Amino acid sequence: MARRSLPKLSMNSTPSPRKAERLVAVKGMNDILPPDSARWEALEERVRALMRRYAYENIRTPIVEPTALFVRGLGEVTDIVEKEMYSFEDRLNGEHLTLRPENTAGLVRAVVEHNLLYNGGKRLFYMGPMFRHERPQRGRYRQFYQVGAEAMGFAGPELDAELILMAHALWIELGITGVELQMNSLGQPEERKQHRAALIAYFEAHADQLDAESQRRLHLNPLRLLDSKNPQMQALIEAAPRLMDFQGEKSKAHLDAVLAILQANGVPFVMNPRLVRGMDYYNLTVFEFVTTELGSQGTICGGGRYDYLIEEVGGKPAPAVGWAFGVERVLELMKAQEASAPAIAPDAFAIVTDAAALPTVCACLEQLRSKGVAVQLHASLDGSMASMKSQFKRADASGARYALVFGPDELAQGSVTVKALRDAGVAQRTLALAAWSDWADTLQSKA
Ligand code: AMP
């Protein structure tokens, strides 16, 4: 095979000998900075604990997948595949690749590839970045993070319900209120086929009221017309044939069984017959958790059944159901509702003025840390030891409860002064370094 010649990588600027041009992040892709990142970590920890309680196992799949996976999995006539994917050709071997716009397809690929369902179903969860080239706005980014949970290889409605209960439990735990659960059923492919024919006939009869996008999609994927946001088409969409009316006893019984479990657990929901979701892979149950507090991007979590996707991706037919929530939106909602912000301050801030004392001081701090105490050591930009006064200022700004002063007097006596920074009533104490660990124990019991 002839060697492919590589396209040249272009650079926007030649480095100047004096000052390098400042580079900034790609539009719609955010840095997650401290102290905000502490909220992310706290949420991730809660998610892990939640998943353990429901026996979901962690899975990590690549961020880049073959483009064909999403085209086949999500459906060719969907917003994501038509307009939003970051797809590219690998310069080295010509492979068609895409930054994952969602992770259900990737998980299904992995489950099939590694034959994970060989001895029964699998409950899985993931967390990570997804990429969609959408117009950035509040709650909508080009790189965003999802947490997802998927139960693969189980057909029963109790799995649909379990996943919804799990998300519901998470909102409660996070202190989020006012989230509405919207439910719908998309039925089975045969029922959708009949509904599709009825939809086409209906919209054809009103073709003059369709916008250009809807006219184009009418014969390709008429279900997509139902989630059009065009205000001029809303009355028309409202009166369109309903998928629910085309569903047989079996499909209805599945939905009823899911709803019965939700009701028995006191999980409120509303039926939304227009809820169709943005990907083609769903059947039977679909649902979204929606808030009115985040402006136009109010869906914080969405999911449903996808009993045919595993087969579509080349696996042995197996049913599946799952959801994903957007981490940015959930955190933003928590902020809007002032739900509990995690404490990020260290327990103690160490002040030391003599560089020669650092080996001793660092050893003392390590003892504290090994007992679970969070300790921050003062440090300066140029590596010099700052004055006692300026270190105290830093200690105060850090939010720490205690300053640990390793001054010249203390070090001469083999001791440390512990000063409470947040509680004026607590007297300053000088402790012998030999009894250091005992102090850590009293601190832990107070925390
Ligand atoms: P979807 O995969 O489209 O069902 O989305 C699941 C969840 O991911 C949504 O409910 C949002 O919370 C979140 N999400 C989807 N797209 C974006 C985006 N562009 N920016 C931020 N969050 C998003």
Side-chain angles (χ1 to χ4, degrees):
M1 203 172 82
R3 251 183 90 93
R4 292 169 55 85
S5 67
L6 300 181
K8 280 225 177 73
L9 284 174
S10 72
M11 301 233 211
N12 288 335
S13 65
T14 353
S16 113
R18 261 178 277 127
K19 193 158 190 284
E21 188 190 327
R22 206 159 63 117
L23 296 168
V24 296
V26 175
K27 187 176 171 195
M29 305 200 181
N30 300 314
D31 297 312
I32 297 147
L33 308 172
D36 224 30
S37 52
R39 303 176 77 97
W40 284 68
E41 288 185 297
L43 175 60
E44 286 159 8
E45 278 163 26
R46 284 195 157 142
V47 165
R48 284 195 191 96
L50 177 86
M51 296 297 171
R52 266 196 298 277
R53 292 206 297 277
Y54 286 81
Y56 282 64
E57 296 175 286
N58 186 229
I59 178 165
R60 299 164 194 232
T61 57
I63 284 170
V64 177
E65 295 277 1
T67 300
L69 174 67
F70 302 114
V71 176
R72 244 205 278 165
L74 277 57
E76 230 161 322
V77 189
T78 53
D79 279 351
I80 295 181
V81 171
E82 283 186 335
K83 307 184 242 186
E84 298 168 1
M85 293 206 303
Y86 284 91
S87 298
F88 57 97
E89 197 181 311
D90 187 322
R91 291 185 311 130
L92 299 176
N93 60 11
E95 276 182 293
H96 293 280
L97 304 175
T98 291
L99 299 185
R100 61 186 188 191
E102 58 92 65
N103 209 22
T104 302
L107 249 59
V108 166
R109 195 243 343 111
V111 160
V112 171
E113 190 169 330
H114 304 287
N115 195 21
L116 292 189
L117 303 183
Y118 73 98
N119 66 350
K122 274 260 174 245
R123 289 172 164 95
L124 301 167
F125 81 94
Y126 61 85
M127 309 196 216
M130 308 295 153
F131 302 82
R132 294 183 197 172
H133 196 104
E134 298 190 83
R135 198 168 49 78
Q137 54 175 270
R138 182 182 179 204
R140 190 158 81 184
Y141 311 102
R142 291 182 174 170
Q143 173 172 328
F144 60 96
Y145 286 73
Q146 282 186 343
V147 168
E150 318 276 352
M152 298 199 194
F154 307 107
E158 66 276 19
L159 275 300
D160 314 31
E162 174 178 285
L163 281 152
I164 294 170
L165 292 179
M166 189 157 88
H168 179 76
L170 183 64
W171 314 145
I172 293 176
E173 200 179 319
L174 296 176
I176 292 175
T177 55
V179 177
E180 181 177 82
L181 169 61
Q182 301 186 353
M183 300 287 304
N184 193 19
S185 171
L186 297 183
Q188 296 290 20
E190 196 44 49
E191 295 157 349
R192 282 166 72 161
K193 223 161 108 188
Q194 289 170 22
H195 174 244
R196 182 191 151 98
L199 265 188
I200 293 178
Y202 170 80
F203 283 119
E204 268 178 345
H206 300 88
D208 53 327
Q209 295 174 51
L210 299 182
D211 57 24
E213 173 82 340
S214 298
Q215 297 209 0
R216 187 181 65 79
R217 286 180 160 186
L218 176 55
H219 292 274
L220 295 169
N221 196 346
L223 206 61
R224 286 276 86 82
L225 271 62
L226 299 182
D227 56 8
S228 161
K229 299 282 177 291
N230 184 342
Q232 260 99 56
M233 285 174 47
Q234 296 311 304
L236 185 67
I237 290 170
E238 202 58 57
R242 294 191 166 193
L243 184 45
M244 202 62 90
D245 298 330
F246 291 79
Q247 295 183 38
E249 286 313 311
K250 227 173 145 192
S251 296
K252 284 187 180 151
H254 186 94
L255 178 64
D256 288 345
V258 177
L259 300 183
I261 297 176
L262 298 184
Q263 275 157 343
N265 284 279
V267 178
F269 60 86
V270 295
M271 293 305 299
N272 176 1
R274 286 187 48 190
L275 181 66
V276 293
R277 311 269 307 123
M279 298 78 156
D280 282 353
Y281 51 61
Y282 290 109
N283 68 300
L284 291 176
T285 318
V286 285
F287 56 88
E288 285 186 352
F289 288 92
V290 181
T291 172
T292 52
E293 291 177 56
L294 292 179
S296 61
Q297 304 304 311
T299 304
I300 59 168
C301 176
R305 263 207 171 267
Y306 48 94
D307 292 332
Y308 304 95
L309 183 60
I310 295 178
E311 192 177 1
E312 186 76 31
V313 171
K316 270 219 312 266
V321 54
W323 54 240
F325 75 77
V327 174
E328 289 85 350
R329 289 188 197 174
V330 166
L331 286 172
E332 185 136 354
L333 187 56
M334 287 172 71
K335 249 189 193 164
Q337 298 186 346
E338 285 166 0
S340 61
I344 48 154
D347 299 313
F349 189 104
I351 292 174
V352 49
T353 48
D354 178 5
L358 283 171
T360 310
V361 171
C362 289
C364 290
L365 302 188
E366 286 304 289
Q367 281 180 33
L368 282 193
R369 291 176 180 131
S370 71
K371 294 204 158 201
V373 181
V375 193
Q376 181 176 345
L377 172 64
H378 179 272
S380 65
L381 179 64
D382 61 2
S384 68
M385 309 307 284
S387 71
M388 187 78 89
K389 191 172 161 210
S390 94
Q391 292 198 37
F392 258 110
K393 262 196 196 155
R394 293 275 176 182
D396 218 28
S398 76
R401 278 167 63 202
Y402 296 95
L404 310 175
V405 187
F406 296 89
D409 296 346
E410 282 87 358
L411 287 163
Q413 300 165 24
S415 66
V416 54
T417 299
V418 178
K419 188 172 186 305
L421 296 172
R422 314 272 139 208
D423 188 350
V426 176
Q428 174 170 312
R429 289 198 294 161
T430 298
L431 305 170
L433 289 181
W436 189 228
S437 307
D438 301 346
W439 180 72
D441 293 337
T442 58
L443 184 66
Q444 285 301 286
S445 59
K446 267 195 226 158

